[in-house]
Amino acid sequence: MINSKFKIQNSKFFFLIAISILFLSIAGYTTPNIDDISRLENSGLSEEAKGHYDKAFALYEKLIRETSDSVQQEVYLRRIFDMRFSISNKTNVLKICKYIRKGRKSSRFLKSLATWFMLQLYLEDGKIERAKSLCAKLGFIQNWFIIGPFDNDGKTGFDREYPPETEIKISSEYQGKDRKVKWRHMNIESPLGFVDLGATFRPNKNTCSYLLTFVKSNKKREVVFRIGHDDAIKIWLNNSLVFSNNNYHAARFDQSHARVLLNKGWNKILIKLCQKQGKWELLFRITSPNGNRISRLKVRANLPVNIAEHVPVEDTEKTSSGNISFLEESIKTDADNAQLYYYLAYLYNKSLPYDENKHKDFLCITKALQLNPNNPFYSYLGANLAHQPNKRRDLLEKTIKLNPDFTIAFYQLAKYYLNANNLTKALHIVNKCLDINPSFLPAICLKISIYSKQGLTPLIPPLLEEIKDAPAYKKETQNSIIRYYEHHRSQEETLAQLRKLSEIDFMDNYAREKIIKILLKTSKNSEALNRLCEMSALSPYDTWRYLRRAKIYADRYQFHKAIKV
């Protein structure tokens, strides 16, 4: 009889051999080296340059799965998300986001970013409840007391001390920009997590306002405030200033960070948000220092009892802005690395962590071009980041000179000349673009726009046949079809095309508003009402939708419903 101990040892030995053979037999089971990743990256960029977005997507997806570089993962996740309407199957974008959320090698920030993208994808597919569930998991705070607007002419309001900075009396009234103002409660659940002050206050230009909420922690703990702010912002925690940023820019997901210490019990959070013009929004969430959601935090906007009037905030470590901070530090020790500047320019543009007038993204890509002037990908990114039209044109021409097959550079150059009303030049360049890639449908859409401006309407229908029911570029092609139908087809035919666009992107406001106008004109009030309810769920701060719903109810003599809306 064979010894049982010998049996166990041998079984372990054969098991290890079997596992080794299994791993060796799996195709491609090797750790990719830097050269392999670089080839994937360059191949993906080359396919994107040719307008082959499905091929570029496949390469970027493989890169994300194989690279361990957090910067590359973020850059190419963002690129994949941006090309979602250009590829044949938008569901693939959702799949890679889910992969990142569950992946062990993905950073906490990357998982949160993937969740943020998933939220938007669900909204574009009309899955509002799923989007709201993800919004809740990200932990955006939308329950606030608000007061304002106060004056911010000449951006002077940022440093001016208004009464809410010295006292919190919910019943008090103060002099605002144009009239007396007082605190009011706002708890509107936006599926995107935004607090929209631009829709809430009048006036909403050259103003500032305050937001107040209270957070209860079951223990003393270190947390991170993750903020997207349009525009300048100050944050006080328990009456101590913990974050100040006097930059004016659009709000982005997790754009700024403040590492703070919450006390056990209730903590007061006061935010001052300044505004110049345009959108006036806030994204605010609280996470653990590593980015995880804190499940035991309670939020309420009404004033709790037994909160300390002033609790000094202890100093904590500075929180980095993820990959942006990493690249900024890397450049200090590797100042001649053009690729670092290229990545940093791209992420600066996506995150906007600087004042809109500084153009740090363009300065970075300019530095990359100085170090490597013959890289067409750098010059193309520079063209997209250029704020002066002529500089944009020069960089597009440089890109084409460096790579005569750079299809999307031809396309962007044709758009430049179309916007400059040089229709002959625009048509010449768009034809060159189609010579390189005849299946690049955005160029055909651009050609339709040029013919329309030239008054060559009879030449358009054959082009519409080419783009109809396109497997890729669905949103862009559908927009071209709609623009033609609005002027040359019946309302019912136009309505059918608008419905298609709404199926492609449920969030497309142009399609939804046009649909409602046609429905109301054709006395299809019930469907118009349903559409308006959907739009209110998507954009709960948009008062126009509520007014339209109220009018429909009033026209039906349902005054109780009209008053409620």
Side-chain angles (χ1 to χ4, degrees):
M1 181 181 280
I2 299 172
N3 185 289
S4 60
K5 186 176 179 181
F6 177 77
K7 268 187 174 182
I8 293 169
Q9 288 174 338
N10 274 277
S11 62
K12 286 181 180 178
F13 175 73
F14 288 119
F15 175 76
L16 290 170
I17 290 176
I19 289 294
S20 301
I21 292 169
L22 176 64
F23 278 124
L24 289 170
S25 65
I26 295 173
Y29 183 75
T30 54
T31 303
N33 60 37
I34 294 172
D35 290 338
D36 292 334
I37 296 298
S38 183
R39 276 192 289 272
L40 268 179
E41 182 176 23
N42 288 324
S43 297
L45 290 168
S46 296
E47 293 297 345
E48 186 179 349
K50 294 172 188 173
H52 299 154
Y53 286 104
D54 281 330
K55 291 180 180 178
F57 175 89
L59 290 161
Y60 292 158
E61 181 184 19
K62 189 176 181 184
L63 188 155
I64 288 170
R65 290 177 184 272
E66 293 189 3
T67 187
S68 57
D69 187 307
S70 177
V71 171
Q72 289 178 329
Q73 285 180 328
E74 182 183 348
V75 166
Y76 291 100
L77 173 62
R78 289 184 181 277
R79 289 188 92 102
I80 276 177
F81 181 75
D82 285 347
M83 62 171 61
R84 65 195 184 281
F85 290 115
S86 301
I87 60 175
S88 301
N89 191 352
K90 188 179 162 191
T91 308
N92 288 335
V93 181
L94 189 63
K95 287 178 181 177
I96 192 66
C97 287
K98 286 181 176 179
Y99 165 80
I100 287 169
R101 276 190 81 202
K102 294 177 181 178
R104 290 182 180 179
K105 65 179 181 180
S106 303
S107 68
R108 185 64 251 178
F109 168 75
L110 198 70
K111 290 181 179 183
S112 296
L113 183 64
T115 305
W116 173 245
F117 288 157
M118 284 175 65
L119 188 161
Q120 293 173 75
L121 290 165
Y122 282 138
L123 286 176
E124 289 168 359
D125 287 343
K127 298 172 182 174
I128 299 174
E129 292 309 314
R130 281 196 185 183
K132 283 183 176 179
S133 173
L134 287 181
C135 188
K137 286 177 181 176
L138 284 168
F140 291 112
I141 294 177
Q142 301 186 66
N143 189 4
W144 301 89
F145 263 107
I146 58 171
I147 189 170
F150 296 93
D151 184 49
N152 187 37
D153 281 338
K155 300 181 180 179
T156 56
F158 185 78
D159 291 321
R160 192 178 301 174
E161 188 179 84
Y162 290 109
E165 294 179 34
T166 57
E167 65 173 19
I168 298 294
K169 292 182 179 177
I170 299 300
S171 59
S172 293
E173 192 174 63
Y174 309 105
Q175 181 59 48
K177 185 178 175 77
D178 288 345
R179 57 185 171 273
K180 295 282 187 179
V181 296
K182 59 183 180 180
W183 288 101
R184 52 191 166 118
H185 183 222
M186 183 175 68
N187 187 16
I188 297 174
E189 289 190 19
S190 163
L192 279 169
F194 281 99
V195 177
D196 189 348
L197 297 181
T200 308
F201 290 118
R202 293 293 182 276
N204 56 11
K205 292 181 180 178
N206 300 311
T207 50
C208 58
S209 69
Y210 294 86
L211 302 94
L212 172 72
T213 199
F214 298 88
V215 173
K216 187 177 185 181
S217 177
N218 64 331
K219 63 180 181 180
K220 190 173 184 178
R221 67 169 87 220
E222 204 172 36
V223 300
V224 175
F225 293 168
R226 300 185 186 273
I227 317 132
H229 50 102
D230 182 348
D231 289 299
I233 188 171
K234 284 183 179 180
I235 303 177
W236 291 264
L237 174 62
N238 298 327
N239 299 331
S240 292
L241 184 66
V242 294
F243 183 74
S244 179
N245 185 315
N246 196 14
N247 288 326
Y248 283 71
H249 50 54
R252 295 286 189 268
F253 176 76
D254 284 5
Q255 184 175 44
S256 298
H257 310 80
R259 193 163 182 156
V260 299
L261 198 67
L262 290 183
N263 292 292
K264 183 178 180 180
W266 288 105
N267 295 264
K268 180 173 70 174
I269 299 172
L270 178 70
I271 296 178
K272 180 180 192 175
L273 194 65
C274 297
Q275 155 78 339
K276 185 182 176 185
Q277 60 185 7
K279 289 187 176 182
W280 189 12
E281 297 175 321
L282 175 73
L283 281 170
F284 184 85
R285 65 194 194 103
I286 303 174
T287 71
S288 64
N290 66 4
N292 287 325
R293 184 187 176 198
I294 304 170
S295 58
R296 293 190 179 182
L297 287 183
K298 293 182 180 179
V299 179
R300 62 191 285 185
N302 55 315
L303 192 68
V305 294
N306 300 326
I307 183 168
E309 281 300 309
H310 181 85
V311 180
V313 176
E314 297 178 25
D315 289 335
T316 59
E317 295 177 27
K318 183 182 176 184
T319 298
S320 73
S321 298
N323 288 322
I324 287 179
S325 294
F326 171 78
L327 288 167
E328 288 172 339
E329 289 301 313
S330 298
I331 283 170
K332 290 177 183 177
T333 56
D334 194 3
D336 294 329
N337 190 329
Q339 191 73 359
L340 294 178
Y341 287 100
Y342 171 72
Y343 288 145
L344 186 55
Y346 184 85
L347 294 182
Y348 269 157
N349 178 256
K350 293 299 178 183
S351 298
L352 289 178
Y354 55 87
D355 193 277
E356 61 189 1
N357 294 319
K358 291 181 181 175
H359 305 295
K360 288 177 75 172
D361 52 355
F362 187 72
L363 292 174
C364 261
I365 198 62
T366 300
K367 180 64 176 178
L369 278 166
Q370 289 170 356
L371 294 167
N372 188 351
N374 297 320
N375 188 313
F377 305 127
Y378 294 179
S379 56
Y380 183 71
L381 180 59
N384 284 312
L385 302 183
H387 50 280
Q388 295 176 347
N390 289 344
K391 186 65 179 176
R392 176 176 170 78
R393 178 201 62 206
D394 292 346
L395 284 166
L396 287 170
E397 288 174 346
K398 176 181 173 71
T399 304
I400 291 165
K401 188 176 180 181
L402 291 169
N403 181 355
D405 293 329
F406 213 114
T407 305
I408 57 177
F410 277 103
Y411 169 71
Q412 292 294 342
L413 189 59
K415 282 178 76 173
Y416 163 83
Y417 282 110
L418 175 61
N419 293 333
N421 218 30
N422 189 338
L423 303 181
T424 304
K425 187 97 173 178
L427 186 60
H428 174 69
I429 293 171
V430 84
N431 282 331
K432 278 188 174 182
C433 178
L434 288 166
D435 287 342
I436 299 165
N437 182 357
S439 63
F440 189 58
L441 299 186
I444 298 176
C445 294
L446 194 61
K447 198 170 184 178
I448 291 169
S449 297
I450 295 167
Y451 281 161
S452 180
K453 273 199 167 187
Q454 289 178 323
L456 301 174
T457 308
L459 298 178
I460 294 176
L463 296 178
L464 292 176
E465 285 299 313
E466 288 187 50
I467 65 173
K468 188 175 68 173
D469 301 321
Y473 316 106
K474 291 177 184 176
K475 187 170 181 178
E476 194 158 357
T477 55
Q478 197 59 33
N479 273 315
S480 286
I481 292 167
I482 288 166
R483 282 194 294 270
Y484 177 81
Y485 272 51
E486 283 177 332
H487 295 98
H488 303 287
R489 297 290 179 90
S490 69
Q491 276 192 341
E492 284 299 324
E493 289 175 303
T494 304
L495 181 60
Q497 297 302 324
L498 285 164
R499 289 186 200 278
K500 282 186 179 180
L501 178 56
S502 189
E503 288 171 9
I504 294 165
D505 182 6
F506 194 72
M507 290 282 286
D508 191 290
N509 283 328
Y510 177 82
R512 300 179 71 79
E513 287 174 9
K514 284 285 184 179
I515 287 170
I516 288 165
K517 284 181 181 178
I518 293 174
L519 290 173
L520 291 173
K521 277 184 183 178
T522 53
S523 300
K524 296 177 181 176
N525 288 352
S526 293
E527 188 182 348
L529 196 58
N530 290 335
R531 290 275 181 172
L532 283 166
C533 288
E534 289 173 350
M535 291 175 80
S536 294
L538 287 169
S539 305
Y541 286 95
D542 194 328
T543 54
W544 175 83
R545 280 86 185 255
Y546 296 108
L547 292 172
R548 294 295 291 272
R549 283 167 61 193
K551 186 178 185 306
I552 293 171
Y553 283 130
D555 290 343
R556 292 177 169 187
Y557 302 102
Q558 296 175 313
F559 298 115
H560 62 292
K561 289 185 178 180
I563 290 168
K564 186 178 179 181
V565 171

